[in-house]
Amino acid sequence: MDTDVIILGGGLVGATLAVALDVHGVRSIVIDPADPAVMLAPGFDGRASAIASATGRMLDAIGIGAALAGQGCAIRQIRVSDGLAPGKLDFRPAEGDGALGTMYENKLLRRTLFEAARAARHVDLRMRTRATDMTRGADGVVATLDDGSVIRAPLLIAAEGRNSPTREAAGIAVARWQYDHAAIVGAFHHEYPHDDVAYEIFYPSGPFALLPLPDDATGHRSAIVWSVKGADGPAMMKLGDRAFLAEATRRMGGFLGELTDASPRASYALGFHHAARITAERLVLVGDAAHGIHPIAGQGLNLGLRDAATLAEVLVDGKRLGLDLGDPALLERYQRWRGLDTFMVAAATDTLTRLFGVPGAAASAIRRFGIGAVDRLPPLKNRFMAEARGETGTLPKLLQGLHI
């Protein structure tokens, strides 16, 4: 069977790319070993993601935004502080500029994208399926699947995540290191409303991010991404809900009042990885297969979705011109377009992680001085807000809310 592209991985980035290509008439076969019944099981699993405003425009353009409408929580302000000491940095858009982004539960995003991909005319979604053999050559890509079928396409797209076996098999070098941090993710209810404000509170042991979620029948909710020392991660996961919420209250200084109803928690080790190249012969990397960063600025998923927007434009343009979608010149356009942006964001988040991890009163005083200085400089604040929105650099059409 022939198709335009084979996408390995039907997660958030892979599914978004497939739907974006479908809207523009580009065919894909998406292969993913996951069981939808497990992936889409009901109930909140504690994971949520901030979708930047530019990424939100892309979801609107490919028809996903309408299905998500009213189910997220706008981020109308971001407040940054060094611990609970005096001094803060507020990012608040000007009147009429719209929100900085929107928080969505990951399960909602997964379900919406899965249903869109399954319904898409040009997407052949094959779940609970693996590729047992993959050959890339001058004439194209040939994949043998575990059900015995053989599929062919001019291009293979790896959206398999940070441990991408396809990237490893291609021999693409990866710069990587681990931080001495574990991220604890979850959510809880709180007594006072969050007023659509996201908080990033920095401690030497790691940042504590508090992210607004929509209220439910029980009350006000927020998600957390709490970075702790790696050695403390297992102990934090073993805490009962009452003790965990008490620790969270202490980190927050109690400004949202009493915390209740802790969600299930998850923990994962934090690391950095960045592929030396994001293309090879008839191969493209997207999302975590290409790069992985510290969640300090909440940009990880947005980086992957920007990959999808860029690659979609490159491939749609190529198909309209009648080009081979695996043509090296076409893939080099994607490499140039995405290579610098992903490296700059990765470098910036790594620098912030190390800067805010320096212990001691002197380091804290310097950080608070820097935070206060940025807060008083509107041009610099606007630059940071543009980065948070995903609106810097040469934007693909989808990130502008336009069809390609």
Side-chain angles (χ1 to χ4, degrees):
M1 180 177 183
D2 294 334
T3 189
D4 292 322
V5 298
I6 299 170
I7 302 175
L8 297 179
L12 297 178
V13 174
T16 300
L17 175 60
V19 174
L21 292 173
D22 167 76
V23 168
H24 297 89
V26 179
R27 299 170 301 153
S28 66
I29 295 177
V30 181
I31 301 166
D32 195 300
D35 183 349
V38 175
M39 184 176 71
L40 305 174
F44 180 43
D45 65 3
R47 294 174 182 264
S49 294
I51 299 298
S53 56
T55 313
R57 286 195 290 272
M58 173 191 181
L59 297 181
D60 288 341
I62 64 175
I64 302 298
L68 295 172
Q71 300 182 78
C73 182
I75 301 174
R76 304 194 184 281
Q77 181 180 343
I78 299 174
R79 173 164 289 186
V80 179
S81 65
D82 188 64
L84 299 176
K88 45 75 180 173
L89 171 57
D90 279 325
F91 295 107
R92 180 183 295 158
E95 194 70 31
D97 277 358
L100 292 163
T102 306
M103 286 296 303
Y104 293 105
E105 295 178 12
N106 278 17
K107 276 202 173 178
L108 170 65
L109 291 173
R110 282 197 297 270
R111 182 175 68 249
T112 304
L113 284 163
F114 174 78
E115 291 172 352
R118 187 171 56 179
R121 177 184 173 191
H122 302 294
V123 179
D124 181 354
L125 184 60
R126 304 193 186 189
M127 303 299 291
R128 292 181 292 185
T129 304
R130 296 179 184 273
T132 57
D133 185 67
M134 190 74 64
T135 303
R136 293 180 291 111
D139 296 329
V141 180
V142 180
T144 302
L145 308 185
D146 57 5
D147 61 4
S149 59
V150 177
I151 56 177
R152 297 172 179 83
L155 182 65
L156 178 65
I157 301 167
E160 304 158 300
R162 62 179 56 219
N163 296 316
S164 168
T166 305
R167 180 193 66 216
E168 300 303 316
I172 296 174
V174 179
R176 66 169 80 237
W177 52 82
Q178 291 298 118
Y179 299 108
D180 184 23
H181 286 164
I184 311 295
V185 297
F188 44 65
H189 286 79
H190 41 84
E191 183 179 0
Y192 307 135
H194 49 55
D195 296 327
D196 300 339
V197 179
Y199 297 87
E200 189 92 29
I201 306 170
F202 288 98
Y203 292 99
S205 58
F208 182 102
L210 188 64
L211 307 163
L213 291 175
D215 291 352
D216 63 12
T218 307
H220 311 302
R221 294 190 305 153
S222 288
I224 57 167
V225 180
W226 184 355
S227 296
V228 300
K229 289 293 185 184
D232 297 335
M236 291 295 295
M237 290 298 293
K238 289 178 182 177
L239 287 178
D241 286 352
R242 184 173 178 180
F244 179 78
L245 293 177
E247 281 294 312
T249 299
R250 188 169 66 85
R251 289 279 164 168
M252 295 162 56
F255 61 82
L256 288 180
E258 183 183 2
L259 307 183
T260 56
D261 302 325
S263 76
R265 276 168 267 154
S267 174
Y268 57 95
L270 296 180
F272 172 102
H273 70 272
H274 194 85
R277 286 191 60 81
I278 53 175
T279 64
E281 183 181 31
R282 297 194 177 276
L283 172 66
V284 164
L285 308 181
V286 295
D288 284 355
H291 41 71
I293 60 176
H294 195 287
I296 192 169
Q299 288 299 307
L301 175 58
N302 289 292
L303 266 186
L305 295 179
R306 275 146 64 177
D307 292 345
T310 305
L311 183 57
E313 184 160 333
V314 168
L315 295 179
V316 170
D317 286 350
K319 186 167 185 178
R320 285 176 182 159
L321 292 171
L323 299 178
D324 176 348
L325 295 188
D327 186 278
L330 205 59
L331 303 192
E332 185 59 27
R333 182 185 175 204
Y334 172 71
Q335 171 72 48
R336 289 195 309 269
W337 200 344
R338 290 302 299 143
L340 181 60
D341 177 52
T342 57
F343 177 76
M344 294 299 290
V345 173
T349 56
D350 182 66
T351 300
L352 280 174
T353 300
R354 297 179 189 280
L355 174 65
F356 279 95
V358 177
S364 179
I366 293 170
R367 288 192 294 264
R368 291 200 306 275
F369 174 81
I371 286 172
V374 173
D375 201 42
R376 294 187 294 272
L377 293 170
L380 196 52
K381 282 181 71 173
N382 290 338
R383 172 69 184 185
F384 280 123
M385 279 196 287
E387 290 285 355
R389 290 177 181 274
E391 296 175 348
T392 57
T394 305
L395 290 185
K397 290 185 176 68
L398 286 175
L399 294 181
Q400 301 174 52
L402 306 172
H403 279 183
I404 301 166

